[in-house]
Amino acid sequence: MSAQKMAMESNFDGLIGPTHNYGGLSDGNLASASNAGLVASPRAAALQGLEKMKAMHEAGLWQGILPPQQRPHLPTLRRAGFTGTDKQVFEAAWKEAPRLMKNCLSASSMWAANAATVSPSADSADGQLHLTPANLSTMLHRSIEHPQTQRALETAFPFAAVHTALSEQSVFADEGAANHVRLCDTRGAQGVELFVYGRDGYAPARPGYPARQTCQASQAIARSHQLNPARTVYALQSDAAIDAGAFHNDVVCVGALQTLFYHELAFADKGAMQADVTNAASGLFTPNFVEVPLAEVPIADAIKAYLFNSMLVQMPDEDRLTLIAPLETQENAATKTYCDKLVASNGPIGEVRYVDVRQSMRNGGGPACLRLRVTLTEEEWAQVNSGNKFSPALYEALKNWVTKHYRENLSPEDTRDPALMTESFAALDELTKVMGLGQDFYPFQR
Ligand code: SUG
């Protein structure tokens, strides 16, 4: 085994884009369905995201930023037969295919946990960092993200193996890191990668809400990331979790270092999951399973309050882990009581901090959805594109940029305004300069 390098987990957050709105686009995501049609605040959303990044940076964690994508996504509209100037395409699409248009306006790339699956260099046979952009093929509005995601990842991680998304077909439906947990002793050491899937891609679709991740997608990623099969585990989500609204496993489970924190109903066979993870970790570390009992936190509360869609982080100089939870977890009696008890116990989680990401939460995106975890060695972190690294100066520049370009309010009616497109493209054009992304980063610039 090669000498272990000093490594840390970084968080790359999706910067929330100027068209953030409540489109009701995600079947099985209860927040998206129940908040459809609300007036959104793109400006407040982006600023909430920036405050979370700032808090993590100030706590001493490595913090990165992934830029928003171009919306409306004109290439999808043109592929669907709309022609003419951008404005003509925009107006004709709203008139003839309003549902398609709504899908092309979503700012969904903010949920960076779905951008890709990431395997650090310590886990792969070739010693490289591997990233596979998620095809997100289950939801139309998300399926158009991956080509631009690939570009964004290649820009941010020029030294890494950035793969092409898996085949865009139901057998290979893939939602990225939201269904993937890496456990380890120390970050730079060989870890165990746990892939959680909702269905066998060859089986008929399940009744009820869609299962978005297939076993075949997870296996394909583990192969191309050159993972050691003995250190790789696959576990099936429970139907109960999916039917209660756990459209991704990270709605009912989060892990860090040796700790896996999950709801009693998260897995179809939790005994098998525990045995498989323990076996895969043999000789490396002893996993610490923190299971939240149904009797203490009903699954409906866990999902509504997003207890598990928290970031589980190792703060410098803290012995125990910190859970970065949404304010909604503090406001729910069952989850708040559980968190107080968790901290008071002498278990692996020693603190819970609450953050305000309400704008994203109304679309089913908690603190954990907004970030992509990338474990990096010091040498790798030094090679990350500097424009993708959070700094106080970049924070100030982005805050000014958001305040200058973003609308305070965006109602469903407002999304029909072609000025939203021109404003958004002007904002993104300027962003490529602020973040040093190059002058042909977005399709409208090419
Ligand atoms: O894919 N919501 C996202 C939320 C993603 C959350 N990510 C994780 N759990 N990792 C989704 O369902 C709603 C968009 C709308 O309805 O306007 C949406 O796409």
Side-chain angles (χ1 to χ4, degrees), residues 19-33 35-37 102 105-115 136 139 141-142 145 175-179 212 245-252 306 309 360-366 368-371:
T19 64
H20 160 62
N21 73 96
Y22 300 114
L25 301 173
S26 281
D27 184 27
N29 170 341
L30 306 183
S32 155
N35 293 315
K102 277 193 190 175
L105 271 167
S106 174
S108 56
S109 70
M110 71 175 82
W111 298 299
N114 306 115
L136 296 167
M139 298 289 158
H141 66 294
R142 305 221 58 185
E145 291 175 30
E175 299 273 324
N179 296 309
R212 299 200 204 174
F247 54 97
H248 292 135
N249 177 59
D250 71 1
V251 174
V252 282
Y306 258 38
N309 202 257
S360 166
M361 280 287 287
R362 289 189 191 127
N363 257 335
C369 297
L370 286 163
R371 59 87 177 101

Side-chain angles (χ1 to χ4, degrees), residues 15 18 20 24 38 51 62 131 137 147 193 197 209 212 260 271 280 307 320 325-326 334 381:
L15 183 58
H20 160 62
L38 285 187
E51 289 312 310
W62 287 346
L131 302 102
S137 63
E193 299 203 17
Y197 63 94
Y209 294 142
R212 299 200 204 174
L260 193 67
L307 167 64
R320 301 200 290 163
W381 173 247

